[in-house]
Amino acid sequence: MLTVPVRQLGESERRAVERLLDLDPFAGAQVAERITARGLAWWRAEGRVLGYGSRRNLESICWLGGNLTPVLATEPAVAAYADLLAGEERLCSSIVGRADAVLGLWDRLSAVWGPARDVRPNQPLLATESLPALRADPQVRLVRAGEIDRLFPAAVAMYTEEVGVSPLADDGGRGYRRRVTDLVRTGRAYARFVDGQVVFKAELAVVTRRTAQVQGVWVAPEWRGRGIASAAMAAVVRDALLRVAPTVSLYVNDFNLPARRVYERCGFRPVGTLATVLF
């Protein structure tokens, strides 16, 4: 029997939540960014923050919104979250976080939330705080507001290739275009253009005071195999470290060996393993 119930956290426990997130700054980066921006009030945060542990000793949290993300979830915490969530309709589009917690949740929830569209059990989580030793591509730069129409098709291609579904499916891409536009507006979208076409792109999809998390890395199919990715990523990492955050982090599918070699050349080191369940 579970002796510590899960409860929904509010703004009064924000300091305790932030202390926990500081203990796992890379795996919990997306949750940290949301809480910094919106707090813990569910009507502002577009999600709920569940907590495991007493008010004096908060042990773990779990973000429940568009994604379900456990942070510092031990086996008892995973069991407690699953116990609560099994009685709710699934609204999230994915479960993502440290592999042991995500796979533990999925073991307990698959019977009621399944089937999953894809389960990715081994995604190395990487980080660096050092400027890359290799030369950065000088043609990789921040995307300008007037270039969104050129960036958007590349972003759609990347998303479809990586996630397995098109971001245009639900609303014709309006929501995804707003996201891409916001990344450009806030100085988080990078690209290399050749004759007006995007041949490389990447974004700082998550930014906290501890890390800038790179996502959406993509090379145009006709440019793959030419060796442009390492220098392009070096440019992204260099700018992010000098301008945005003290570390740069990302996660990658274990089977994507070319990308893993690129990240290793740019100085990334392993800091854990994530897993993702996609619906």
Side-chain angles (χ1 to χ4, degrees), residues 128 130-132 134 230 233-234 237 261-268:
T128 183
S130 302
L131 293 174
L134 57 90
S230 294
M233 269 302 298
V237 173
R261 286 193 290 269
V262 166
Y263 303 144
E264 184 177 359
R265 293 186 196 112
C266 289
F268 285 90

Side-chain angles (χ1 to χ4, degrees), residues 6-200:
V6 172
R7 66 186 191 282
Q8 184 169 325
L9 304 180
E11 194 64 26
S12 64
E13 295 183 271
R14 183 165 176 169
R15 287 188 178 180
V17 169
E18 289 174 341
R19 283 196 294 270
L20 274 181
L21 289 166
D22 275 342
L23 297 176
D24 200 0
F26 303 125
Q30 187 175 60
V31 179
E33 182 186 53
R34 289 180 179 271
I35 289 174
T36 297
R38 302 271 182 110
L40 274 78
W42 64 267
W43 60 89
R44 292 199 307 266
E46 301 178 348
R48 291 183 287 156
V49 179
L50 307 177
Y52 177 82
S54 67
R55 290 188 175 273
R56 291 187 176 184
N57 184 30
L58 184 64
E59 299 177 34
S60 168
I61 63 171
C62 187
W63 169 266
L64 179 58
N67 302 320
L68 174 63
T69 302
V71 179
L72 295 176
T74 60
E75 189 172 345
V78 167
Y81 293 138
D83 223 31
L84 174 69
L85 295 169
E88 299 187 6
E89 179 185 2
R90 178 187 63 78
L91 299 177
C92 60
S93 61
S94 66
I95 308 173
V96 59
R98 294 276 181 182
D100 53 351
V102 167
L103 298 177
L105 280 170
W106 186 233
D107 281 345
R108 293 170 170 85
L109 292 173
S110 57
V112 290
W113 277 14
R117 184 166 51 82
D118 194 9
V119 178
R120 301 177 181 180
N122 183 8
Q123 297 175 302
L125 177 62
L126 311 172
T128 183
E129 65 284 334
S130 302
L131 293 174
L134 57 90
R135 180 178 178 270
D137 185 343
Q139 297 184 69
V140 173
R141 57 171 175 79
L142 292 174
V143 179
R144 304 178 185 118
E147 296 171 322
I148 292 172
D149 286 343
R150 294 177 178 177
L151 176 65
F152 188 66
V156 170
M158 177 281 305
Y159 188 101
T160 305
E161 185 176 331
E162 174 63 23
V163 180
V165 296
S166 171
L168 309 181
D170 289 336
D171 61 356
R174 291 185 296 275
Y176 189 60
R177 187 180 177 90
R178 284 195 298 270
R179 171 62 173 165
V180 172
T181 299
D182 188 59
L183 290 168
V184 172
R185 180 184 60 81
T186 54
R188 296 192 192 186
Y190 301 86
R192 177 180 170 184
F193 295 88
V194 175
D195 296 329
Q197 301 298 311
V198 175
V199 300
F200 168 87

